[in-house]
PDB file of all heavy atoms in Angstrom:
ATOM      1  N   GLN A 304      -7.271  60.354  35.191  1.00  0.00           N
ATOM      2  CA  GLN A 304      -7.198  61.526  35.908  1.00  0.00           C
ATOM      3  C   GLN A 304      -7.899  61.430  37.319  1.00  0.00           C
ATOM      4  O   GLN A 304      -7.274  61.973  38.221  1.00  0.00           O
ATOM      5  CB  GLN A 304      -7.861  62.664  35.042  1.00  0.00           C
ATOM      6  CG  GLN A 304      -7.187  62.993  33.722  1.00  0.00           C
ATOM      7  CD  GLN A 304      -7.940  63.997  32.943  1.00  0.00           C
ATOM      8  OE1 GLN A 304      -9.016  64.523  33.375  1.00  0.00           O
ATOM      9  NE2 GLN A 304      -7.496  64.272  31.768  1.00  0.00           N
ATOM     10  N   ASN A 305      -8.937  60.721  37.398  1.00  0.00           N
ATOM     11  CA  ASN A 305      -9.696  60.516  38.625  1.00  0.00           C
ATOM     12  C   ASN A 305      -8.779  59.772  39.583  1.00  0.00           C
ATOM     13  O   ASN A 305      -8.688  60.123  40.812  1.00  0.00           O
ATOM     14  CB  ASN A 305     -10.967  59.889  38.335  1.00  0.00           C
ATOM     15  CG  ASN A 305     -11.840  59.837  39.637  1.00  0.00           C
ATOM     16  OD1 ASN A 305     -11.824  58.922  40.393  1.00  0.00           O
ATOM     17  ND2 ASN A 305     -12.502  60.838  39.906  1.00  0.00           N
ATOM     18  N   VAL A 306      -8.094  58.684  39.149  1.00  0.00           N
ATOM     19  CA  VAL A 306      -7.211  57.917  39.941  1.00  0.00           C
ATOM     20  C   VAL A 306      -6.138  58.750  40.464  1.00  0.00           C
ATOM     21  O   VAL A 306      -5.758  58.661  41.724  1.00  0.00           O
ATOM     22  CB  VAL A 306      -6.684  56.714  39.202  1.00  0.00           C
ATOM     23  CG1 VAL A 306      -5.679  55.996  40.058  1.00  0.00           C
ATOM     24  CG2 VAL A 306      -7.905  55.702  39.001  1.00  0.00           C
ATOM     25  N   ILE A 307      -5.518  59.575  39.688  1.00  0.00           N
ATOM     26  CA  ILE A 307      -4.469  60.379  40.102  1.00  0.00           C
ATOM     27  C   ILE A 307      -4.810  61.463  41.144  1.00  0.00           C
ATOM     28  O   ILE A 307      -4.220  61.672  42.123  1.00  0.00           O
ATOM     29  CB  ILE A 307      -3.755  61.122  38.882  1.00  0.00           C
ATOM     30  CG1 ILE A 307      -3.041  60.147  37.998  1.00  0.00           C
ATOM     31  CG2 ILE A 307      -2.797  62.162  39.336  1.00  0.00           C
ATOM     32  CD1 ILE A 307      -2.548  60.717  36.741  1.00  0.00           C
ATOM     33  N   ASN A 308      -6.089  61.993  40.836  1.00  0.00           N
ATOM     34  CA  ASN A 308      -6.616  62.909  41.924  1.00  0.00           C
ATOM     35  C   ASN A 308      -6.903  62.179  43.237  1.00  0.00           C
ATOM     36  O   ASN A 308      -6.705  62.690  44.397  1.00  0.00           O
ATOM     37  CB  ASN A 308      -7.949  63.458  41.459  1.00  0.00           C
ATOM     38  CG  ASN A 308      -7.701  64.470  40.277  1.00  0.00           C
ATOM     39  OD1 ASN A 308      -6.618  65.053  40.141  1.00  0.00           O
ATOM     40  ND2 ASN A 308      -8.693  64.643  39.354  1.00  0.00           N
ATOM     41  N   GLN A 309      -7.376  60.963  43.231  1.00  0.00           N
ATOM     42  CA  GLN A 309      -7.733  60.119  44.519  1.00  0.00           C
ATOM     43  C   GLN A 309      -6.386  59.779  45.247  1.00  0.00           C
ATOM     44  O   GLN A 309      -6.399  59.645  46.450  1.00  0.00           O
ATOM     45  CB  GLN A 309      -8.407  58.964  44.143  1.00  0.00           C
ATOM     46  CG  GLN A 309      -9.881  59.409  43.636  1.00  0.00           C
ATOM     47  CD  GLN A 309     -10.914  58.297  43.929  1.00  0.00           C
ATOM     48  OE1 GLN A 309     -11.019  57.816  45.083  1.00  0.00           O
ATOM     49  NE2 GLN A 309     -11.933  58.159  43.067  1.00  0.00           N
ATOM     50  N   ILE A 310      -5.299  59.554  44.452  1.00  0.00           N
ATOM     51  CA  ILE A 310      -4.048  59.240  45.155  1.00  0.00           C
ATOM     52  C   ILE A 310      -3.636  60.409  45.967  1.00  0.00           C
ATOM     53  O   ILE A 310      -3.142  60.264  47.263  1.00  0.00           O
ATOM     54  CB  ILE A 310      -2.963  58.912  44.086  1.00  0.00           C
ATOM     55  CG1 ILE A 310      -3.230  57.573  43.382  1.00  0.00           C
ATOM     56  CG2 ILE A 310      -1.574  58.837  44.728  1.00  0.00           C
ATOM     57  CD1 ILE A 310      -2.402  57.176  42.288  1.00  0.00           C
ATOM     58  N   GLY A 311      -3.824  61.698  45.515  1.00  0.00           N
ATOM     59  CA  GLY A 311      -3.540  62.783  46.309  1.00  0.00           C
ATOM     60  C   GLY A 311      -2.137  63.262  46.507  1.00  0.00           C
ATOM     61  O   GLY A 311      -1.801  64.476  46.338  1.00  0.00           O
ATOM     62  N   SER A 312      -1.253  62.308  46.564  1.00  0.00           N
ATOM     63  CA  SER A 312       0.121  62.660  46.704  1.00  0.00           C
ATOM     64  C   SER A 312       0.852  62.932  45.372  1.00  0.00           C
ATOM     65  O   SER A 312       2.043  63.419  45.387  1.00  0.00           O
ATOM     66  CB  SER A 312       0.875  61.543  47.493  1.00  0.00           C
ATOM     67  OG  SER A 312       0.815  60.312  46.706  1.00  0.00           O
ATOM     68  N   LEU A 313       0.188  62.711  44.259  1.00  0.00           N
ATOM     69  CA  LEU A 313       0.756  62.968  42.911  1.00  0.00           C
ATOM     70  C   LEU A 313       0.304  64.373  42.466  1.00  0.00           C
ATOM     71  O   LEU A 313      -0.828  64.681  42.556  1.00  0.00           O
ATOM     72  CB  LEU A 313       0.374  61.821  41.974  1.00  0.00           C
ATOM     73  CG  LEU A 313       0.924  60.431  42.215  1.00  0.00           C
ATOM     74  CD1 LEU A 313       0.380  59.470  41.171  1.00  0.00           C
ATOM     75  CD2 LEU A 313       2.405  60.389  42.172  1.00  0.00           C
ATOM     76  N   ASP A 314       1.311  64.977  41.786  1.00  0.00           N
ATOM     77  CA  ASP A 314       0.980  66.289  41.248  1.00  0.00           C
ATOM     78  C   ASP A 314      -0.027  66.095  39.982  1.00  0.00           C
ATOM     79  O   ASP A 314       0.072  65.050  39.278  1.00  0.00           O
ATOM     80  CB  ASP A 314       2.229  66.946  40.710  1.00  0.00           C
ATOM     81  CG  ASP A 314       1.987  68.373  40.320  1.00  0.00           C
ATOM     82  OD1 ASP A 314       2.082  69.292  41.250  1.00  0.00           O
ATOM     83  OD2 ASP A 314       1.730  68.555  39.147  1.00  0.00           O
ATOM     84  N   SER A 315      -0.859  67.125  39.715  1.00  0.00           N
ATOM     85  CA  SER A 315      -1.750  67.047  38.609  1.00  0.00           C
ATOM     86  C   SER A 315      -1.081  66.897  37.311  1.00  0.00           C
ATOM     87  O   SER A 315      -1.618  66.412  36.270  1.00  0.00           O
ATOM     88  CB  SER A 315      -2.751  68.247  38.635  1.00  0.00           C
ATOM     89  OG  SER A 315      -1.992  69.407  38.538  1.00  0.00           O
ATOM     90  N   ALA A 316       0.284  67.339  37.213  1.00  0.00           N
ATOM     91  CA  ALA A 316       0.945  67.202  35.993  1.00  0.00           C
ATOM     92  C   ALA A 316       1.117  65.824  35.474  1.00  0.00           C
ATOM     93  O   ALA A 316       1.271  65.486  34.325  1.00  0.00           O
ATOM     94  CB  ALA A 316       2.375  67.850  36.074  1.00  0.00           C
ATOM     95  N   TYR A 317       1.036  64.794  36.456  1.00  0.00           N
ATOM     96  CA  TYR A 317       1.149  63.487  36.061  1.00  0.00           C
ATOM     97  C   TYR A 317      -0.007  62.928  35.208  1.00  0.00           C
ATOM     98  O   TYR A 317       0.075  61.951  34.465  1.00  0.00           O
ATOM     99  CB  TYR A 317       1.219  62.506  37.337  1.00  0.00           C
ATOM    100  CG  TYR A 317       2.544  62.568  38.015  1.00  0.00           C
ATOM    101  CD1 TYR A 317       2.812  63.277  39.176  1.00  0.00           C
ATOM    102  CD2 TYR A 317       3.517  61.577  37.539  1.00  0.00           C
ATOM    103  CE1 TYR A 317       3.995  63.345  39.668  1.00  0.00           C
ATOM    104  CE2 TYR A 317       4.744  61.592  38.139  1.00  0.00           C
ATOM    105  CZ  TYR A 317       5.028  62.502  39.246  1.00  0.00           C
ATOM    106  OH  TYR A 317       6.281  62.517  39.904  1.00  0.00           O
ATOM    107  N   GLN A 318      -1.098  63.689  35.275  1.00  0.00           N
ATOM    108  CA  GLN A 318      -2.176  63.352  34.333  1.00  0.00           C
ATOM    109  C   GLN A 318      -1.798  63.471  32.953  1.00  0.00           C
ATOM    110  O   GLN A 318      -2.154  62.662  32.001  1.00  0.00           O
ATOM    111  CB  GLN A 318      -3.487  64.277  34.624  1.00  0.00           C
ATOM    112  CG  GLN A 318      -4.055  64.026  35.979  1.00  0.00           C
ATOM    113  CD  GLN A 318      -5.284  65.112  36.260  1.00  0.00           C
ATOM    114  OE1 GLN A 318      -5.418  65.920  35.391  1.00  0.00           O
ATOM    115  NE2 GLN A 318      -5.754  64.990  37.439  1.00  0.00           N
ATOM    116  N   GLN A 319      -1.127  64.652  32.588  1.00  0.00           N
ATOM    117  CA  GLN A 319      -0.557  64.846  31.289  1.00  0.00           C
ATOM    118  C   GLN A 319       0.562  63.869  30.837  1.00  0.00           C
ATOM    119  O   GLN A 319       0.496  63.361  29.796  1.00  0.00           O
ATOM    120  CB  GLN A 319      -0.097  66.204  31.122  1.00  0.00           C
ATOM    121  CG  GLN A 319      -1.000  67.377  31.517  1.00  0.00           C
ATOM    122  CD  GLN A 319      -2.295  67.253  30.662  1.00  0.00           C
ATOM    123  OE1 GLN A 319      -2.268  66.996  29.550  1.00  0.00           O
ATOM    124  NE2 GLN A 319      -3.395  67.662  31.395  1.00  0.00           N
ATOM    125  N   VAL A 320       1.372  63.484  31.880  1.00  0.00           N
ATOM    126  CA  VAL A 320       2.379  62.530  31.555  1.00  0.00           C
ATOM    127  C   VAL A 320       1.800  61.174  31.217  1.00  0.00           C
ATOM    128  O   VAL A 320       2.218  60.537  30.266  1.00  0.00           O
ATOM    129  CB  VAL A 320       3.330  62.302  32.820  1.00  0.00           C
ATOM    130  CG1 VAL A 320       4.337  61.183  32.597  1.00  0.00           C
ATOM    131  CG2 VAL A 320       4.059  63.683  33.106  1.00  0.00           C
ATOM    132  N   VAL A 321       0.839  60.757  31.959  1.00  0.00           N
ATOM    133  CA  VAL A 321       0.286  59.385  31.779  1.00  0.00           C
ATOM    134  C   VAL A 321      -0.493  59.400  30.454  1.00  0.00           C
ATOM    135  O   VAL A 321      -0.436  58.550  29.661  1.00  0.00           O
ATOM    136  CB  VAL A 321      -0.683  58.921  32.892  1.00  0.00           C
ATOM    137  CG1 VAL A 321      -1.454  57.643  32.620  1.00  0.00           C
ATOM    138  CG2 VAL A 321       0.167  58.919  34.256  1.00  0.00           C
ATOM    139  N   SER A 322      -1.344  60.442  30.202  1.00  0.00           N
ATOM    140  CA  SER A 322      -2.065  60.586  28.926  1.00  0.00           C
ATOM    141  C   SER A 322      -1.094  60.586  27.658  1.00  0.00           C
ATOM    142  O   SER A 322      -1.439  59.888  26.710  1.00  0.00           O
ATOM    143  CB  SER A 322      -2.840  61.887  28.904  1.00  0.00           C
ATOM    144  OG  SER A 322      -3.806  61.830  30.091  1.00  0.00           O
TER     145      SER A 322
END
Side-chain angles (χ1 to χ4, degrees):
Q304 293 174 6
N305 188 266
V306 168
I307 291 175
N308 289 335
Q309 295 211 37
I310 292 174
S312 59
L313 293 178
D314 189 87
S315 59
Y317 281 98
Q318 295 177 1
Q319 305 300 326
V320 174
V321 175
S322 299

